[in-house]
Amino acid sequence: MSSLTGKGVLITGGGSGIGLAAARLFLQEGARVAITGRDAAKLRRAAEELKGGDRLMHYPADVSNPGQVQKLVQEATKGLGRIDVLVNNAGLNIKERAFRQLTVESWKTLVGANLEGAFYCINAVLPQMLARKEGLIININSISGKRAGPLGGAAYSAAKFGMRGLAMGLAAEEKDNGIRVANIYPGEVDTPILENRPTPLSEEHRKTILQPEDVAAAILFVASLPARVAIPELVITPSKATYV
């Protein structure tokens, strides 16, 4: 396994859930970490919880806003020194997710947060990776990016399928330039996104699904592999789930 000591890692959606858990693991492995999210107060609380010292930075930004993403990457690069690993983890869903409930605005919100945000981040980070001929992009997709259904909703699934296509296309284009792209597809995870489920989950059900640290461990595994190894796709589900 490759050492992550001194590596620069940018994690979107880093204020809670999977992003926060991943930041914790990267810090434990000696990496320099920048977390970002829309809620500045949540980011400050996350930073206080992580206790990363001068190896941890936090920058509020909305990844669906390309101007904010460009500024974010500039600041994160300055703070980290370089961005070796980009973890595209930011995403959201809404309660009114059935197709009949979608509006033009809610469609734009879901595609902006779950697909366009990943593109904007990759677009801003890729040039420095290409200049070094080395870089790792880890996209936290969803099982909804493998199979569409009512659970995720039509727009969320469409965005996640798009994220898959974006990542696979990029990987094919830039594999000879040292760029690796990994797509991780978690099943149900006990994170704040569940608060927007149309039907709330019981505490008993939450105990049976993935926890943020489970997915974070998968992220760390991918990031720890040597540059000669690529993990194009990794599906991770609760052990009691049926994946077909």
Side-chain angles (χ1 to χ4, degrees):
M1 306 297 275
S2 297
S3 172
L4 293 170
T5 300
K7 294 287 187 181
V9 183
L10 173 59
I11 303 173
T12 69
S16 62
I18 294 169
L20 178 60
R24 181 176 293 108
L25 292 186
F26 276 112
L27 287 167
Q28 289 174 2
E29 294 298 316
R32 296 174 59 79
V33 178
I35 57 174
T36 186
R38 292 172 298 167
D39 190 329
K42 181 189 288 187
L43 284 177
R44 285 195 298 271
R45 291 193 297 270
E48 291 170 0
E49 178 184 332
L50 290 170
K51 297 181 173 63
D54 61 3
R55 289 192 293 114
L56 175 65
M57 289 129 263
H58 56 93
Y59 306 99
D62 180 351
V63 297
S64 67
N65 183 311
Q68 290 187 31
V69 170
Q70 287 291 333
K71 182 180 178 182
L72 160 68
V73 170
Q74 290 173 3
E75 293 179 346
T77 301
K78 183 178 179 180
L80 296 172
R82 54 193 271 175
I83 298 173
D84 298 290
V85 181
L86 168 64
V87 181
N88 274 320
N89 172 66
L92 60 80
N93 210 337
I94 58 176
K95 289 186 177 181
E96 300 79 16
R97 62 186 64 177
F99 190 87
R100 292 186 184 186
Q101 296 174 300
L102 291 174
T103 65
V104 171
E105 288 308 312
S106 63
W107 167 268
K108 288 181 177 179
T109 296
L110 289 166
V111 173
N114 295 297
L115 174 58
E116 292 179 353
F119 168 78
Y120 296 145
C121 290
I122 294 170
N123 179 256
V125 170
L126 188 61
Q128 62 175 276
M129 291 182 170
L130 288 173
R132 296 191 300 267
K133 285 193 170 294
E134 184 178 25
L136 173 62
I137 297 165
I138 302 175
N139 295 314
I140 310 308
N141 200 301
S142 165
I143 206 71
S144 293
K146 281 284 192 179
R147 61 183 189 210
L151 191 62
Y156 182 80
S157 296
K160 292 301 187 179
F161 268 77
M163 189 186 206
R164 181 189 185 206
L166 171 67
M168 295 179 74
L170 173 64
E173 290 178 14
E174 301 295 353
K175 62 182 176 59
D176 294 330
N177 295 312
I179 307 303
R180 294 178 294 152
V181 186
N183 303 275
I184 298 178
Y185 303 86
E188 285 187 294
V189 190
D190 190 5
T191 68
I193 199 171
L194 294 183
E195 296 170 7
N196 284 327
R197 277 282 183 87
T199 303
L201 273 66
S202 68
E203 287 303 314
E204 287 186 4
H205 185 80
R206 283 176 178 260
K207 292 177 182 178
T208 68
I209 62 179
L210 298 173
Q211 298 303 305
E213 57 267 29
D214 301 330
V215 184
I219 295 169
L220 192 74
F221 164 69
V222 172
S224 299
L225 292 169
R228 66 177 180 271
V229 181
I231 304 289
E233 298 190 300
L234 177 62
V235 176
I236 175 172
T237 69
S239 59
K240 293 186 178 181
T242 300
Y243 175 71
V244 179

